[in-house]
Amino acid sequence: MKYIFLPILIFISCQEEHSVFPKTPNVLFILVDDLGLHDLSGTGSTFYETPNVDQIAKEGMVFTQGYAASRVCSPSRASIMTGKFTARHGITDWIGARSGTDWRANKRYDKLLPASYLHALPKNDVTLAEAFKGAGYKTFFAGKWHLGSEGSYPENHGFDINVGGWHKGSPMGGYFSPWENPKLPNRAEGENLSLRLAKETSDFIKKYKDSTFFAFLSFYAVHGPIQTSQQKWQKYRDKADSMGLAEKGYEMERILPIRTVQDNPIYAGLVEAMDDAVGIVLKSLKEAGIEDNTIVVFTSDNGGVASGDSFSTSNLPLRGGKGYQWEGGIREPYFIKVPWLKNGGSTSDYPVTGTDFYPTLLDLAGIGLRPGQHVDGVSLKPILVGEKLEKQRPLYWHYPHYGNQGGNPSSIIREGKWKLIHYWEDDSDELYDVSIDIGEQKNLIGQQPETAKRLRRKLLQWLYDVGANVPEPDPKYDSLLSAQRQHMIIEEKWPELEAQRLQMFSLDFEPNVDWWGSRTTKD
């Protein structure tokens, strides 16, 4: 994996770290929706531009093997909040997805009926926000929640202030005001949603700069429907043209076409707007004089959308994307900046996941850990201060569902260099050595049968121990209808996507008369 953050600095000693440790540091947690590992200029993209996010990585530590806890949003977010893997907390799909016999209403004609799952964050869990609030922190949430409906909103799970968080997982009404969000009143026609959330967060920071706070900025970006302004589209349309347009932008994965190039000017503009918003919040920390006393986390909830939804980006050399069982669906940007550690530009290749934020942040803030709660997370503080975590615990993922993006119902274990994927449709497995095959092209199930058997037993036993729900065969499965649907995808959907991609580069491209509301009558 290639990272370009330089220079790599030598860690300071633990003694120096303790001598400057602030008694009550603030925490700013930035979560982006659907952002892929390579959707940042600092992680290898030559198309997208993200100087503000890159700065967080340059001033903190980059975990080069950072994972989301799920390939889709709600389960991953629940794992951040609870410190538990998805099969344990019970939210295994995005909240609102059909399961059981209701799945047939999607006209998918699949072999299995997806497993049932919880539709709200469990009330008996002590969330990360509740842990900080219990330690005297002022807690703030802005943006996407998607962890339950009325009664299970941010304010019901430890956040003193909630701006924009409700049950919807996409930006209803779009990225430009007027939007449809009862938790975020419209103020100015054409206002950008990402910038508005950043301004709300900045206002909170300025108001509570003299106290101690835990602020969680959860962007709706870069979730579809992807939208941008005409100016940003023009910038990236011209950039893509100057770089040379690929003749084709997609290839077929197992079920859906998947994007193979990063050249979508609309998505690039959406990414840049998110980065602009990050810059606003970082500037507010500096202006408030608390930059050196604030831990900053930056990550995403699942891989970039390469298939399904808006077919926005490419995650290559990682295989797949959001909704997929391969690395492109779960590998993420994972940055932690702890100003007093002075370890900017450093990296760690220890495999980490979304469950680790809970104990890590408590540990860094000097708050007592809750091992009975964040049972699937480990504190990364030893790594951040220059020590080692010798033992690499197994990581587990459980997604007994069909996604909108082409992934299959499956469960995963990663232990050391090995990653085993168990498929629920046919009881088959795939085994990859991700230390040398990050693109998961060589299934080693035949060459390493004993390793595969051991990992399969361990995975299935763990799922049994935590009471994981699994999918069941659909007795009404129709192989003919399934084949017809697949034929339509190849013969109609794929060519349609290629045509849409080229249309975005047309000089007279115009999605609608006001560019999704970004161009108002005042412009």
Side-chain angles (χ1 to χ4, degrees), residues 5-24:
F5 302 114
L6 297 173
I8 296 178
L9 305 179
I10 299 174
F11 291 116
I12 60 172
S13 70
C14 294
Q15 287 184 340
E16 181 181 348
E17 179 263 323
H18 287 302
S19 68
V20 296
F21 171 72
K23 292 183 179 179
T24 52

Side-chain angles (χ1 to χ4, degrees), residues 272-286:
E272 186 181 82
M274 176 276 297
D275 186 76
D276 291 341
V278 170
I280 290 173
V281 180
L282 297 181
K283 183 180 179 181
S284 70
L285 292 176
K286 184 175 294 187

Side-chain angles (χ1 to χ4, degrees), residues 123-296:
K123 291 182 182 289
N124 59 336
D125 277 303
V126 177
T127 68
L128 180 57
E130 288 171 327
F132 272 100
K133 185 174 181 177
Y137 277 63
K138 188 71 175 179
T139 55
F140 170 87
F141 184 90
K144 174 173 173 173
W145 178 244
H146 207 186
L147 287 173
S149 55
E150 195 80 41
S152 187
Y153 282 167
E155 57 267 37
N156 305 119
H157 292 284
F159 288 99
D160 296 315
I161 301 170
N162 170 29
V163 180
W166 62 319
H167 69 280
K168 293 293 186 180
S170 59
M172 305 304 292
Y175 281 101
F176 300 96
S177 181
W179 44 67
E180 301 167 15
N181 187 325
K183 297 290 186 177
L184 189 66
N186 289 282
R187 295 192 306 199
E189 185 180 357
E191 184 177 21
N192 180 282
L193 178 58
S194 297
L195 299 185
R196 170 66 178 280
L197 294 174
K199 291 172 184 175
E200 294 280 356
T201 305
S202 295
D203 288 345
F204 168 81
I205 289 171
K206 293 172 185 176
K207 184 175 181 179
Y208 292 99
K209 64 184 177 64
D210 294 325
S211 60
T212 308
F213 62 78
F214 173 74
F216 200 106
L217 173 55
S218 177
F219 288 108
Y220 281 94
V222 290
H223 192 287
I226 59 173
Q227 298 173 353
T228 192
S229 66
Q230 184 176 13
Q231 291 79 9
K232 288 191 186 298
W233 165 82
Q234 186 72 57
K235 171 184 175 178
Y236 286 102
R237 181 261 168 222
D238 293 346
K239 184 174 184 177
D241 187 58
S242 68
M243 293 172 67
L245 296 178
E247 183 178 348
K248 297 290 185 181
Y250 295 88
E251 62 183 29
M252 276 299 301
E253 248 304 343
R254 291 180 178 172
I255 296 173
L256 286 175
I258 191 165
R259 183 177 274 271
T260 56
V261 291
Q262 290 187 346
D263 63 3
N264 186 327
I266 299 172
Y267 183 71
L270 182 59
V271 170
E272 186 181 82
M274 176 276 297
D275 186 76
D276 291 341
V278 170
I280 290 173
V281 180
L282 297 181
K283 183 180 179 181
S284 70
L285 292 176
K286 184 175 294 187
E287 291 178 344
I290 57 175
E291 180 183 25
D292 293 337
N293 191 43
T294 303
I295 300 165
V296 179

